[in-house]
Amino acid sequence: MVSTFNTGSGGRIPRAQDNRGFPLIIDAHSHVHDPVHQHLALLDEAGADRAVLFATRPHPERATDLASFHREMSVLDAALNGAPGDGYQSAWQELESALAAHPGRFLGFRSVRLDRSGDQLAAEVDQVARGFHGIGELTPAPGAAARIEPVLRAATDHNGLPVVVHGSAPTTEADLSTLAALARRYPAVPLVISQLGGAHWLTAIDLARETPNIYLELSTASIVFAVRLAINELPDRTMFGSDAPYGDPVLSRATIERVTPPGELRDRVLGGTMGEVLGL
């Protein structure tokens, strides 16, 4: 019997146990929390065995009031609009500390600086390939998605190291088309577009249908129908994710389970596909 973890008044969610033959459940998109134990509690509540973990410069979970939340969001806005800023080293150190403390729960991805030269990016990707499961979450400025091409080229040289790119605003519809064109140029690299492409989710689904190495991560989707359609059209290339702390693993998992019946399809979306991409 699958063990369960109490989710409070909302019910109980089963947690998969990979060492007993049950499917592995992987949250394909999350960021370092401060403190980390809060993140672990969320994963336990959602019944998630592991989580892909990205570094982060903003920490909205630290905010205690509206003013402090605005400060954290200003850091996020700058990052998503391509501002180099500072804080990379401390964010990467936070990531490495969380991975070292909880190697059985987190699958580390590390970003690279897109404002660097091609040679510098290749060197950074080489460093990532030696200690992480993939590259991301990359956040090129709106209209500048082409800047990830040196990353894809370098990832190809490392046996197709997976790459995750921010898909929601301020990513534009044209950026999604650029990402698809680049993915077709580097077919050995699994390119994961996060947040189901945000407001441009229909375009993201169309482009992914035409591009076999594009995967769609489903976190923070605002329309349940979009999640259902994405899974129906791309059953082998859609992934459960929460984008925690911005999203909630329990609610994100519930959305997947709302639109998929129990069985192989649901198991793939909740972790099987990400497990295959990472070679777990």
Side-chain angles (χ1 to χ4, degrees):
M1 180 179 294
V2 181
S3 63
T4 57
F5 285 75
N6 194 348
T7 63
S9 59
R12 299 173 73 86
I13 289 181
R15 175 171 176 177
Q17 304 170 53
D18 58 310
N19 62 339
R20 299 184 184 179
F22 291 102
L24 191 68
I25 295 178
I26 303 172
D27 182 342
H29 189 125
S30 68
H31 297 272
V32 175
H33 285 44
D34 181 21
V36 175
H37 71 77
Q38 291 181 352
H39 191 184
L40 296 175
L42 290 172
L43 294 175
D44 287 343
E45 189 177 7
D49 298 282
R50 309 192 74 178
V52 169
L53 191 64
F54 304 119
T56 181
R57 287 183 283 167
H59 277 284
E61 74 281 6
R62 290 175 179 166
T64 57
D65 55 24
L66 185 60
S68 56
F69 186 77
H70 275 301
R71 286 195 296 271
E72 296 295 337
M73 289 300 96
S74 69
V75 178
L76 177 64
D77 289 344
L80 294 179
N81 282 284
D86 54 17
Y88 282 100
Q89 291 303 321
S90 61
W92 291 340
Q93 288 169 2
E94 288 178 343
L95 173 64
E96 291 173 359
S97 295
L99 296 174
H102 305 283
R105 296 303 296 275
F106 295 133
L107 300 158
F109 275 52
R110 212 202 80 170
S111 60
V112 295
R113 294 280 300 270
L114 295 177
D115 57 336
R116 301 289 176 83
S117 69
D119 288 343
Q120 289 173 318
L121 279 171
E124 285 199 42
V125 170
D126 182 66
Q127 180 182 357
V128 172
R130 291 197 301 269
F132 296 85
H133 287 276
I135 303 166
E137 177 188 17
L138 300 180
T139 55
R147 298 189 72 170
I148 77 161
E149 182 170 13
V151 180
L152 298 179
R153 185 184 307 120
T156 300
D157 295 336
H158 290 282
N159 299 314
L161 195 65
V163 175
V164 178
V165 181
H166 182 82
S168 189
T171 300
T172 67
E173 192 170 22
D175 287 328
L176 294 178
S177 295
T178 298
L179 292 174
L182 291 173
R184 291 190 285 270
R185 198 173 302 170
Y186 299 94
V189 177
L191 179 62
V192 181
I193 295 176
S194 62
Q195 297 107 8
L196 189 50
H200 308 297
W201 57 269
L202 190 56
T203 296
I205 294 171
D206 286 337
L207 291 170
R209 278 173 48 87
E210 300 165 0
T211 314
N213 58 318
I214 283 184
Y215 294 75
L216 298 179
E217 182 271 310
L218 304 170
S219 66
T220 65
S222 59
I223 302 175
V224 173
F225 182 81
V227 176
R228 177 185 291 112
L229 183 62
I231 293 172
N232 287 345
E233 294 296 322
L234 299 157
D236 296 330
R237 289 186 283 127
T238 41
M239 302 172 173
F240 152 61
S242 69
D243 202 2
Y246 302 95
D248 186 289
V250 171
L251 298 180
S252 298
R253 179 175 174 180
T255 299
I256 301 302
E257 295 185 338
R258 181 67 173 171
V259 301
T260 59
E264 182 179 357
L265 174 60
R266 179 186 289 180
D267 293 343
R268 287 195 64 86
V269 178
L270 286 177
T273 295
M274 177 52 88
E276 288 179 2
V277 168
L278 299 181
L280 300 179

